[in-house]
Amino acid sequence: MKTKRKSEVGFSNLLVTGGCGFIGSNFIRNLLNDTTFSGRIINLDKLTYAGNPENLEGIAADFGPRYVFQKVDICDAAKLEKVFGEHDIDAVCHFAAESHVDRSIKDPGSFIQTNIVGTFNLLEIAKARGDKFKLFHHVSTDEVYGSLGAEGLFREDTPYRPNSPYSASKAASDHLVRAYYKTFGLPATISNCSNNYGPYQFPEKLIPLVILNALEGKPLPVYGDGKNVRDWLYVEDHCDAIWTIMTSGVIGETYNVGGNAEMENILIVQLICDILDEIKPATDGKPRRQLITFVSDRPGHDRRYAIDFTKLKAELGWSPRESFKSGLRQTVRWYLNQKKWVENIKTGAYQSWMKEQYG
Ligand code: NAD
Ligand code: DAU
């Protein structure tokens, strides 16, 4: 077992998996513009329905040889091995996953393959690189801890109790990463984060779905009684937390990441309606709140998530910068301004999924 040490700054060839998704694309853009990083990013993505190269429009042109894209499935071990060798990968930031809980209820198979088998493949190949390999950072979720009642917070030592196929597959991948650190000394860190929101989020998740439906005058589906609670974090704050952990976290450790912004779903939906009514009133003049429609609950729907991120704050000095109120307003404006991006998503696979879900 390697002794506990801080991760090393100065990764030369950082493999980012799932870099065309929501958080991964924000992470890549931020990092390439960050003066503390001078290496190359190899963005490896299968481009599922959630992977959109448009999320990184202009990046290849702006960053030339420092940015490379590889369309590869993390379940394809042979292709992965080739990428690691060709690009002399010395660190991994692992975002690639099937990420949507509702899809995991309808069709769990791809979650098992990508989130568990894909993570296993990456760990095996990283391990085989021996001392050349500096860090495997695994991006995970607070959903692995299960559901809270009215009180309490998830801490790093909260027992795992995942309730959906998605969270169970992420829990399995967390365990694999930890096991590769403990058993093989693979230098690894893990972060478990709460709900993200912000630019480039695929409109199957609550916030972008509600923004786009409200703009089109469509129903705003609220599951169950709408009183489920999530803790919300602006995506750039999450990216900043990940980079903080990668550059100054302790190898072998897990860090919880949260936004100090607990909110009932129904309040978020109402807030979005009010922001839109203010900055882009409906053509019929009616308040958007009338579009709110309570629908059947999500099976196994976790009631409340809340994060204690004291460890990350006290040990590594990270805190979220964006407040939920201003972050949400910025996000609504972003979706209003990105007409081409929105149109392209709507005419793609998202359309058929929406049809299947909501008719
Ligand atoms: P996303 O669904 O927007 O993006 C996932 C990306 O992974 C896509 O680009 C997709 O094409 C790619 N991908 C999927 N399967 C792949 C495969 N087999 N091989 C290669 N690439 C593949 O997800 P996101 O919201 O950006 O989440 C990124 C990571 O962060 C996930 O691991 C998720 O569990 C975790 N996370 C997300 C949140 C959140 O609120 N969105 C919160 C905490 C943790
Ligand atoms: O907590 C972190 C997790 O947050 C991440 O690990 C997941 O990848 C990410 O998808 C997110 O999971 P949630 O299930 O919490 O996010 P979602 O946006 O799907 O739902 C947020 C809440 O809103 C949840 O309580 C379900 C509810 N909801 C969701 C949708 C899509 C609705 O009421 N109506 C909806 O149409």
Side-chain angles (χ1 to χ4, degrees):
M1 167 79 54
K2 287 188 177 161
T3 50
K4 284 201 169 185
R5 65 166 168 82
K6 299 271 182 186
S7 344
E8 293 169 36
V9 195
F11 312 122
S12 301
N13 296 306
L14 171 62
L15 184 83
V16 176
T17 69
C20 291
F22 163 47
I23 309 174
S25 61
N26 278 285
F27 178 81
I28 289 177
R29 187 174 306 97
N30 288 358
L31 193 53
L32 285 170
N33 283 297
D34 185 331
T35 50
T36 67
F37 177 70
S38 58
R40 292 165 73 228
I41 289 182
I42 295 84
N43 172 12
L44 185 146
D45 198 301
K46 179 184 173 183
L47 297 183
T48 66
Y49 76 96
N52 183 355
E54 252 191 295
N55 294 358
L56 287 167
E57 206 174 20
I59 288 290
D62 289 350
F63 291 94
R66 288 189 61 211
Y67 174 76
V68 179
F69 175 68
Q70 299 273 289
K71 184 176 183 296
V72 172
D73 182 343
I74 58 170
C75 297
D76 186 337
K79 281 200 186 143
L80 270 188
E81 212 166 341
K82 198 159 166 259
V83 172
F84 270 74
E86 272 175 10
H87 295 285
D88 200 19
I89 299 301
D90 58 2
V92 170
C93 184
H94 179 31
F95 292 96
E98 287 293 342
S99 69
H100 193 47
V101 174
D102 293 330
R103 287 180 189 258
S104 83
I105 295 165
K106 283 208 149 191
D107 179 21
S110 57
F111 288 72
I112 304 306
Q113 287 307 315
T114 289
N115 299 1
I116 306 178
V117 179
T119 302
F120 162 72
N121 288 338
L122 286 164
L123 289 166
E124 273 291 289
I125 297 164
K127 171 170 78 95
R129 292 191 68 73
D131 287 342
K132 274 195 269 188
F133 193 76
K134 294 178 185 160
L135 183 70
F136 189 102
H137 181 74
H138 180 58
V139 181
S140 192
T141 171
D142 59 356
E143 299 199 9
V144 297
Y145 299 121
S147 185
L148 291 164
E151 300 292 316
L153 301 168
F154 296 136
R155 294 161 38 104
E156 287 81 359
D157 56 6
T158 300
Y160 275 33
R161 247 189 125 97
N163 290 318
S164 71
Y166 162 70
S167 53
S169 68
K170 290 297 288 187
S173 65
D174 292 10
H175 292 322
L176 280 171
V177 175
R178 192 164 170 279
Y180 271 65
Y181 160 69
K182 282 275 179 190
T183 305
F184 305 114
L186 182 81
T189 44
I190 300 175
S191 49
N192 293 89
C193 186
S194 59
N195 285 58
N196 284 214
Y197 68 100
Y200 301 105
Q201 187 166 32
F202 192 82
E204 63 188 348
K205 308 287 188 331
L206 180 70
I207 289 180
L209 175 88
V210 166
I211 296 171
L212 297 189
N213 276 15
L215 282 171
E216 290 189 42
K218 287 184 179 167
L220 310 179
V222 175
Y223 298 164
D225 63 3
K227 291 189 187 300
N228 299 67
V229 172
R230 298 290 182 266
D231 167 49
W232 294 90
L233 181 69
Y234 194 63
V235 64
E236 290 201 5
D237 279 325
H238 186 194
C239 295
D240 187 39
I242 291 169
W243 189 236
T244 301
I245 296 165
M246 289 183 72
T247 51
S248 50
V250 174
I251 299 291
E253 291 291 310
T254 284
Y255 297 88
N256 278 354
V257 188
N260 250 344
E262 278 187 59
M263 195 79 65
E264 283 182 356
N265 295 335
I266 185 66
L267 292 178
I268 294 179
V269 177
Q270 288 170 345
L271 214 52
I272 294 171
C273 290
D274 298 349
I275 295 171
L276 278 173
D277 288 350
E278 182 199 321
I279 60 182
K280 197 170 173 32
T283 41
D284 62 7
K286 289 189 181 154
R288 258 73 172 225
R289 284 187 184 211
Q290 56 143 14
L291 299 170
I292 293 174
T293 309
F294 288 91
V295 299
S296 314
D297 210 353
R298 173 186 278 174
H301 197 176
D302 287 335
R303 192 62 173 171
R304 175 173 166 260
Y305 304 146
I307 279 272
D308 179 345
F309 61 88
T310 308
K311 179 175 172 182
L312 183 55
K313 188 175 179 181
E315 295 182 14
L316 307 186
W318 177 90
S319 287
R321 292 199 190 116
E322 193 59 70
S323 75
F324 184 68
K325 239 182 157 178
S326 84
L328 187 64
R329 193 169 270 272
Q330 270 185 59
T331 304
V332 171
R333 282 198 187 280
W334 188 88
Y335 280 90
L336 275 172
N337 292 332
Q338 298 300 316
K339 296 201 170 55
K340 187 177 122 231
W341 186 91
V342 168
E343 205 43 45
N344 287 348
I345 292 264
K346 278 205 234 155
T347 52
Y350 173 62
Q351 206 64 334
S352 43
W353 163 251
M354 278 294 290
K355 240 189 157 123
E356 201 188 312
Q357 262 311 70
Y358 305 114

